[in-house]
Amino acid sequence: MKSIRLSAKSIPLAFGITALLAYGLLLPFTGFYWDDWPFAWIAKFLGPAEFIPAFRGFRPFLGPIFFVTTSLIPPNPLLWQLLALVIRFISGLAAWFALNQVWPNYKRQTLVVSLLFLVFPGYSQHWVALTHINQEWIPFVFYLLSFGFTARALRNPGKSLANTLFALLLFIAGVFPTEYFAGLEPLRFLFIWVIVSAETNGLWPRFIESLKRWWPYLLIWLVDTVWLVYYYKSGAYISYDVTATQGGPVLSQAFSTFGDALWKAGLYVWAQVLVLTAQSISTPTSLLTLALIVIVFLLSSFYFLKLEIGHTEAKPFALSAITIGVLGILFGRLPSFAAGLPLTLQSSFYRFMISMMLGGSLFMAGMVELLIKDQRAKTYVFAMLIALGIGQQFFNANIFRRDWQRQQEIYWQFAWRIPALQPDTAIITQQMPLDYETDLSMTAPLNWIYAPEIHPPDLPYALVYSEKRLGGVVLPDLQPGSAMQLPYRTVSFHGNTSQAIVIYVPRNGCLRVFDPAFNDAETYAKFPNSLIDPISLSDPSRIIADAPPRVLPSPPFSREPTHSWCYFYEQAELARQIRDWNKVVELGRAATKQGFAPQDAFEWLPFIEAYARTGDLKSAEQITRQAWDEEPRVHRGLCVLWKRVQADGPDEAIRDFASSLIGKFSCGQ
């Protein structure tokens, strides 16, 4: 083992293995999230050229990037996840290229910074692949390469013009498509300062010389800034409100915000995985994460110890890296701060860390270089930081894996419960039990499922969150006949509240279509108002119950899963909708025979009623008692059910039995 030596030629392979360990282990089990779905739907049904007008009111320079990539890559989740892995690998190499040009004498340090950048644990949104590849990562790669060519122009005067032109073009391609990197440009000035300082003495001469080299980039940066301010103020921008244009924040808020960013991006994120796994130490995810950290630590330590890159006196690099790192974090926070958006860990707001990744990696590497003198100890610390970054990304990947699995369950439950749906139907729900999808996100897959042919600019279906949309143009009120409108990029949904079905998907349970005919508002009376208030609008007759079974296209959806409880429940709900009680009984007995049972006692209700109405009173009573004992909140629903059977049961014996049971459960009290 002592004779093993690894040359610098092994470095690209090290980047590839690192990227694979961080982002590839669960890659086949991840899919589309968040804005991926609308973008994939546009590419599939409207065509890549539609991204040009689609982004006209929302980052107009981003449309061409989406046009090119979606023209090359079909809307297949696996292909986009593979592309994301490749792009992250390229981004690591781009960072390494840029930093090597700035600090050519500190190859070991720039390698470490680049690997830390590649696995930076503060950015958790890698798996929202279609969105973030186009929206951030391709521009970011351009920006990193621009830094590198700027440094190369300074260090190679004979090729200064060509390298500067490359740098300027890459800079334009990196900064104009998205405002995420609008705060990064001062880092270029600092990189220039580092290079100029080797040849120029005195602070003022260094400043003047650096400014001379920076001014072309400064001019482009100012043009971009003016463009952004104009665009936001013009009213053309149709995304979130930008509070910076409405009056600056107070100084104390700025200090607090930037202090929070420095703590999170510079320090806390490196240890966050240990905090998260400690909260659930015995779960498979935590145990696998910790095991992966140990394995990567050993592999990284071995690699760095065997890598033949000389150790250079690190203090000059450390001081520069810390300074640039701190400023990189603060400047990187500016765009999201200007928009009034929080930097919340383990949430979709984590994406704002992307502009702080380079600064956070430089800061941490500089701190280790400054504080730890022993080279072997330093190697172990860097190996552990890389291992912690990979462990955090694996932990994040598992969250997205579970979300994708839950998405597929829900989409198939839609297919089983709703084989077809009349056009212009709004699907109203309180909230979906998903972490990375909104109602706008899920509107796309539902149209993918139920509208295989689209006729722009009309959008046939919309999913609407009552909790979020009530009171706006999408859902103005809960009165029958109120117009509903949902602009969706270049198409729009137009409907009204009398053309709606109301659904509910519990976190642990199956999709339900509410039906006023079965007194669902009273059955679910103990639930939040945002769930039960719209129930009166639900019209299940908009579901075409006698349509052929719905088969979801694969990709983007998974193949039909093995039938378990929710399949039988959805089919039973569909049969109950058309009052086919014998079919409900048949499904209930088939589910029971296979050992299936619900996680939510409310899902017993259609089977209880079917058993009661078909005369199997023993089974009806047995399940009623079981559900009563399992879940107190279902008591009202059970009473309502038996009162309904008492009122319109098929014969007197059944109605009498219902009356008896109502008395036993004190439903009249």
Side-chain angles (χ1 to χ4, degrees):
M1 296 293 286
K2 291 183 178 180
S3 64
I4 294 177
R5 291 290 182 268
L6 298 171
S7 71
K9 293 181 179 179
S10 68
I11 290 176
L13 179 60
F15 275 97
I17 293 173
T18 302
L20 188 63
L21 290 171
Y23 307 109
L25 296 180
L26 296 177
L27 183 149
F29 310 104
T30 53
F32 283 152
Y33 310 91
W34 199 35
D35 284 348
D36 287 352
W37 275 115
F39 295 148
W41 181 84
I42 289 173
K44 171 69 174 179
F45 291 93
L46 304 181
E50 194 71 13
F51 285 106
I52 304 302
F55 276 99
R56 190 167 292 138
F58 180 84
R59 302 182 180 121
F61 299 109
L62 203 55
I65 295 178
F66 273 86
F67 168 74
V68 172
T69 59
T70 57
S71 296
L72 298 173
I73 308 295
N76 182 328
L78 179 60
L79 295 180
W80 282 96
Q81 293 296 337
L82 287 169
L83 181 60
L85 178 63
V86 172
I87 293 294
R88 290 303 291 272
F89 166 69
I90 293 172
S91 74
L93 293 178
W96 184 48
F97 163 75
L99 296 175
N100 261 328
Q101 305 307 310
V102 177
W103 287 288
N105 297 324
Y106 296 97
K107 294 189 180 300
R108 181 171 288 266
Q109 288 85 355
T110 57
L111 172 62
V112 168
V113 173
S114 302
L115 288 170
L116 293 177
F117 170 84
L118 178 59
V119 302
F120 186 74
Y123 180 79
S124 68
Q125 302 296 296
H126 166 87
W127 291 270
V128 189
L130 197 161
T131 298
H132 291 309
I133 284 172
N134 294 289
Q135 183 171 285
E136 292 128 40
W137 280 103
I138 289 176
F140 200 9
V141 168
F142 291 151
Y143 214 132
L144 291 169
L145 292 173
S146 174
F147 284 153
F149 278 103
T150 296
R152 176 174 279 191
L154 297 177
R155 295 198 179 278
N156 297 276
K159 297 182 178 179
S160 177
L161 180 59
N163 284 316
T164 299
L165 287 175
F166 279 133
L168 290 170
L169 291 173
L170 288 164
F171 176 36
I172 291 170
V175 75
F176 274 89
T178 174
E179 71 276 12
Y180 276 74
F181 309 118
L184 286 186
E185 187 52 27
L187 294 190
R188 191 190 310 269
F189 176 83
L190 297 174
F191 290 146
I192 293 172
W193 177 285
V194 168
I195 297 170
V196 166
S197 295
E199 304 171 351
T200 308
N201 295 320
L203 291 177
W204 183 249
R206 289 176 182 173
F207 176 79
I208 295 299
E209 189 64 26
S210 298
L211 195 59
K212 286 180 181 178
R213 309 296 181 91
W214 187 44
W215 76 263
Y217 308 97
L218 175 61
L219 182 62
I220 293 173
W221 187 41
L222 292 175
V223 170
D224 179 64
T225 302
V226 171
W227 152 254
L228 287 174
V229 172
Y230 164 77
Y231 192 54
Y232 292 156
K233 285 187 173 182
S234 71
Y237 192 69
I238 59 173
S239 186
Y240 45 72
D241 294 331
V242 181
T243 58
T245 63
Q246 302 168 1
V250 296
L251 192 61
S252 61
Q253 181 186 354
F255 276 120
S256 174
T257 298
F258 292 132
D260 177 68
L262 186 60
W263 159 248
K264 289 176 178 175
L267 295 169
Y268 177 73
V269 293
W270 298 102
Q272 181 183 223
V273 66
L274 300 178
V275 176
L276 294 172
T277 53
Q279 293 172 357
S280 54
I281 193 67
S282 62
T283 62
T285 297
S286 294
L287 294 175
L288 288 172
T289 299
L290 294 173
L292 181 62
I293 289 172
V294 172
I295 293 170
V296 172
F297 168 72
L298 295 174
L299 291 174
S300 299
S301 298
F302 174 82
Y303 179 74
F304 285 126
L305 291 171
K306 298 299 181 180
L307 183 63
E308 290 186 322
I309 293 182
H311 296 278
T312 307
E313 201 282 310
K315 187 174 181 180
F317 170 83
L319 294 176
S320 297
I322 291 170
T323 302
I324 297 174
V326 169
L327 293 175
I329 292 170
L330 301 184
F331 285 126
R333 180 68 173 98
L334 274 176
S336 53
F337 175 61
L341 296 167
L343 185 65
T344 308
L345 302 181
Q346 293 303 108
S347 74
S348 61
F349 291 117
Y350 229 179
R351 67 190 185 275
F352 303 132
M353 280 273 187
I354 192 170
S355 55
M356 293 173 256
M357 289 174 61
L358 188 59
S361 302
L362 282 165
F363 174 77
M364 179 52 68
M367 291 295 292
V368 173
E369 288 284 1
L370 184 66
L371 298 177
I372 301 176
K373 305 303 180 183
D374 181 77
Q375 291 298 332
R376 185 171 288 267
K378 194 182 299 183
T379 294
Y380 291 142
V381 171
F382 283 136
M384 179 53 71
L385 288 171
I386 292 169
L388 291 171
I390 290 176
Q392 178 69 67
Q393 297 301 350
F394 177 79
F395 188 92
N396 294 336
N398 201 46
I399 295 173
F400 281 94
R401 178 194 64 80
R402 288 194 296 264
D403 186 279
W404 181 242
Q405 180 181 358
R406 185 62 172 136
Q407 280 192 67
Q408 297 305 309
E409 292 171 356
I410 291 172
Y411 298 139
W412 275 105
Q413 287 168 29
F414 267 105
W416 294 330
R417 177 62 182 89
I418 307 173
L421 192 61
Q422 294 182 29
D424 304 321
T425 298
I427 304 169
I428 302 173
T429 189
Q430 175 201 23
Q431 188 88 10
M432 283 289 188
L434 296 166
D435 295 323
Y436 294 105
E437 289 73 44
T438 66
D439 52 351
L440 295 183
S441 305
M442 296 193 73
T443 289
L446 289 177
N447 278 277
W448 206 316
I449 292 170
Y450 293 108
E453 294 183 5
I454 187 77
H455 302 286
D458 295 324
L459 188 69
Y461 308 104
L463 181 71
V464 177
Y465 282 174
S466 58
E467 191 174 52
K468 181 179 181 180
R469 306 294 176 185
L470 185 59
V473 65
V474 180
L475 184 61
D477 54 50
L478 298 178
Q479 299 301 314
S482 296
M484 301 177 66
Q485 181 178 353
L486 176 65
Y488 207 69
R489 297 289 180 171
T490 57
V491 295
S492 294
F493 168 80
H494 297 276
N496 69 74
T497 51
S498 293
Q499 298 175 340
I501 61 171
V502 182
I503 68 168
Y504 171 50
V505 183
R507 187 157 292 277
N508 296 304
C510 311
L511 180 147
R512 295 154 210 184
V513 175
F514 284 133
D515 191 339
F518 291 105
N519 307 98
D520 282 338
E522 188 174 355
T523 296
Y524 288 86
K526 293 185 178 295
F527 285 69
N529 289 340
S530 55
L531 176 69
I532 62 172
D533 287 350
I535 290 178
S536 62
L537 299 174
S538 190
D539 181 10
S541 68
R542 300 195 66 78
I543 297 170
I544 304 172
D546 58 354
R550 177 69 55 173
V551 178
L552 304 188
S554 178
F557 304 98
S558 67
R559 298 187 184 278
E560 186 167 7
T562 302
H563 294 168
S564 56
W565 168 261
C566 281
Y567 169 80
F568 292 98
Y569 174 77
E570 303 301 349
Q571 291 286 286
E573 281 278 81
L574 183 61
R576 183 178 74 154
Q577 177 182 323
I578 58 175
R579 307 305 193 269
D580 188 348
W581 300 111
N582 290 321
K583 180 69 171 178
V584 178
V585 167
E586 178 185 332
L587 289 161
R589 288 174 177 161
T592 302
K593 184 177 181 180
Q594 296 182 49
F596 299 132
Q599 292 181 281
D600 189 329
F602 281 87
E603 291 165 14
W604 284 122
L605 296 178
F607 300 102
I608 293 171
E609 185 160 3
Y611 286 131
R613 290 183 179 274
T614 57
D616 187 353
L617 301 176
K618 181 179 179 181
S619 296
E621 181 178 8
Q622 179 182 351
I623 300 175
T624 297
R625 293 188 181 278
Q626 179 181 340
W628 188 278
D629 294 337
E630 285 179 3
E631 173 60 80
R633 290 192 302 176
V634 81
H635 292 179
R636 187 188 297 265
L638 291 168
C639 289
V640 168
L641 184 158
W642 283 107
K643 288 179 180 178
R644 190 164 57 245
V645 174
Q646 179 192 38
D648 59 5
D651 59 50
E652 187 174 351
I654 292 174
R655 293 193 293 271
D656 289 344
F657 183 86
S659 300
S660 172
L661 210 57
I662 289 169
K664 290 179 182 178
F665 287 105
S666 302
C667 289
Q669 298 179 3

